[in-house]
């Protein structure tokens, strides 16, 4: 049986649709997300777990603010200790939304090394950063933060 060119193109397109997107592609799609739980890219990255962390860490340096923001949201869910230092580096991001997500993420990671970063943010002039630091400290639950 001989296939027509149109049939071959259709079969190839169908085969390509069955290939799952790479972690890097999914991270790039985070810029279109509106909510963590309602975004296919975040759901898939969370499902993939630890293997997605390197792509998410790369996402923290993406040009798109929303990619950085949602990368932090997924890292907060995964709680992988490899993301601690890259998340700390994002505290200097120029966008407050990304900084607040980084503070929350530090608390979610559960690493007590986050305490001084979170406590320092309590004194920030931006109320959103102070609130995120408070939430991060609440998640971290480090008794040293009371000092």
């Amino acid at each position: 049986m001989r296939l027509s060119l149109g049939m071959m193109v259709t079969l190839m397109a169908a085969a390509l649709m069955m290939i799952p997107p790479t972690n890097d592609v999914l991270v790039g799609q985070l810029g279109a997300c509106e909510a963590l739980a309602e975004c296919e890219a975040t759901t898939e990255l969370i499902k993939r777990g630890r293997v997605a962390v390197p792509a998410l860490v790369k996402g923290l340096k993406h040009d798109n603010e929303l990619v950085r923001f949602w990368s932090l949201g997924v890292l907060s869910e995964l709680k992988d200790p490899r993301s601690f230092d890259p998340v700390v580096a994002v505290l200097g991001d120029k966008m407050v939304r990304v900084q607040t997500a980084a503070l929350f993420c530090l608390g979610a990671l559960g690493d007590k090394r986050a305490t001084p970063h979170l406590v320092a943010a309590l004194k920030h002039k931006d109320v959103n950063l102070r609130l995120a630091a408070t939430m991060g400290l609440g998640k971290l639950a480090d008794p040293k933060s009371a000092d």
Side-chain angles (χ1 to χ4, degrees):
M1 177 172 144
R2 200 172 168 118
L3 295 176
S4 69
L5 180 59
M7 181 58 88
M8 286 179 19
V9 169
T10 301
L11 289 172
M12 288 177 65
L16 287 174
M17 288 176 36
M18 293 178 2
I19 298 172
T22 66
N23 293 331
D24 288 328
V25 168
L26 288 170
V27 168
Q29 293 173 353
L30 293 176
C33 294
E34 293 185 19
L36 189 70
E38 298 168 9
C39 178
E40 288 181 35
T42 59
T43 303
E44 182 61 28
L45 288 163
I46 291 168
K47 202 181 313 178
R48 291 182 184 188
R50 292 178 53 90
V51 299
V53 170
L56 289 161
V57 166
K58 276 198 294 188
L60 298 179
K61 296 179 181 177
H62 198 280
D63 289 340
N64 185 327
E65 161 193 1
L66 290 174
V67 172
R68 298 191 308 274
F69 178 81
W70 290 116
S71 291
L72 289 160
V74 175
L75 288 169
S76 294
E77 294 293 318
L78 297 179
K79 298 173 179 42
D80 189 295
R82 295 176 293 169
S83 60
F84 180 81
D85 290 328
V87 170
V88 169
V90 177
L91 291 174
D93 195 278
K94 63 184 177 219
M95 302 306 294
V96 171
R97 177 190 340 211
V98 176
Q99 292 173 34
T100 59
L103 290 165
F104 183 82
C105 185
L106 284 175
L109 291 175
D111 188 323
K112 304 294 188 215
R113 294 179 297 161
T115 301
H117 300 287
L118 295 167
V119 169
L122 291 174
K123 298 177 181 121
H124 198 281
K125 64 181 179 178
D126 190 293
V127 68
N128 296 303
L129 293 175
R130 292 194 310 267
L131 181 59
T134 302
M135 292 171 63
L137 285 166
K139 287 193 137 311
L140 190 60
D142 182 359
K144 291 181 186 170
S145 66
D147 295 339

